Amino acid sequence: MSNPTVLILMGSDSDLTTMEETARVLTEFGVPYEMHVSSAHRSPAKTSKLTREAEGRGIQVIIAAAGMAAHLAGVVAAETPLPVIAVPMPGGALNGVDALYAMVQMPGGMPVATMAIGKAGAKNAGLLAVQMLSLSSPELRAKFVAYKTRMAEEVEEKDRALQAALRK
Ligand code: RP5
């Protein structure tokens, strides 16, 4: 995509099925993004290069997804002033709880915004990135407000259907 404003990094291609949820949200909001497989442990030099160059290329938010001993978001945050959103991947013996703890327990001075484990977290990472970008984009803010209105309407519809079913 041309002029991406969001950089998505994931530790392995095995994370892609989960992180497609983030890509879907960004596409829905018309936010250009770039996605790479890059691991904190297996390819540290590549991760460092992508992170250091991000701001200069116009990236405003970095989303880091990793599983198991998930250091990716932390090492990315260490090398950039950009905000970093972390998504813990399910899988492994602890099914994502290990990644959640690794990501959420950052030491003071080094924040990463940690989402829920798995697809809900991947979806919310996209939405949080949209909210961050909305701070300087009235157009994106309007889209986000419309999204929330639509969501509330869907809940109303579901409740109407439930009430109708209960009356039968
Ligand atoms: C992490 O290890 C990746 O983010 C992935 O969630 C997990 C397993 O990776 P693979 O062995 O499937 O490549 O670094």
Side-chain angles (χ1 to χ4, degrees):
M1 272 181 203
S2 60
N3 304 321
T5 51
V6 176
L7 173 63
I8 303 171
L9 299 179
M10 61 192 109
S12 169
D13 61 348
S14 63
D15 302 325
L16 182 59
T17 49
T18 306
M19 292 310 292
E20 274 167 355
E21 205 59 39
T22 308
R24 194 186 57 72
V25 169
L26 295 176
T27 301
E28 181 183 334
F29 280 89
V31 172
Y33 64 89
E34 194 174 290
M35 210 175 203
H36 292 278
V37 175
S38 192
S39 164
H41 305 122
R42 294 167 176 161
S43 62
K46 177 182 179 176
T47 299
S48 176
K49 187 171 188 303
L50 281 166
T51 303
R52 285 166 180 263
E53 290 175 357
E55 192 176 22
R57 295 193 300 110
I59 299 290
Q60 295 180 50
V61 182
I62 300 181
I63 297 173
M68 303 181 80
H71 296 122
L72 185 61
V75 302
V76 166
E79 294 213 89
T80 180
L82 296 173
V84 177
I85 302 172
V87 190
M89 293 294 100
L94 303 182
N95 207 16
V97 174
D98 40 6
L100 172 69
Y101 282 176
M103 287 169 156
V104 84
Q105 285 296 99
M106 287 296 290
M110 195 55 59
V112 304
T114 304
M115 304 291 103
I117 298 168
K119 287 200 174 180
K123 180 178 184 175
N124 284 344
L127 290 169
L128 184 57
V130 166
Q131 286 179 288
M132 289 172 172
L133 297 169
S134 293
L135 293 172
S136 57
S137 166
E139 190 196 338
L140 208 47
R141 185 184 181 284
K143 280 189 194 172
F144 188 74
V145 170
Y147 170 86
K148 290 193 81 166
T149 305
R150 237 179 11 254
M151 205 161 44
E153 283 167 1
E154 281 166 19
V155 173
E156 270 313 292
E157 263 170 48
K158 286 175 184 170
D159 190 44
R160 271 197 298 275
L162 173 66
Q163 298 311 316
L166 291 174
R167 277 196 297 273
K168 275 181 191 163

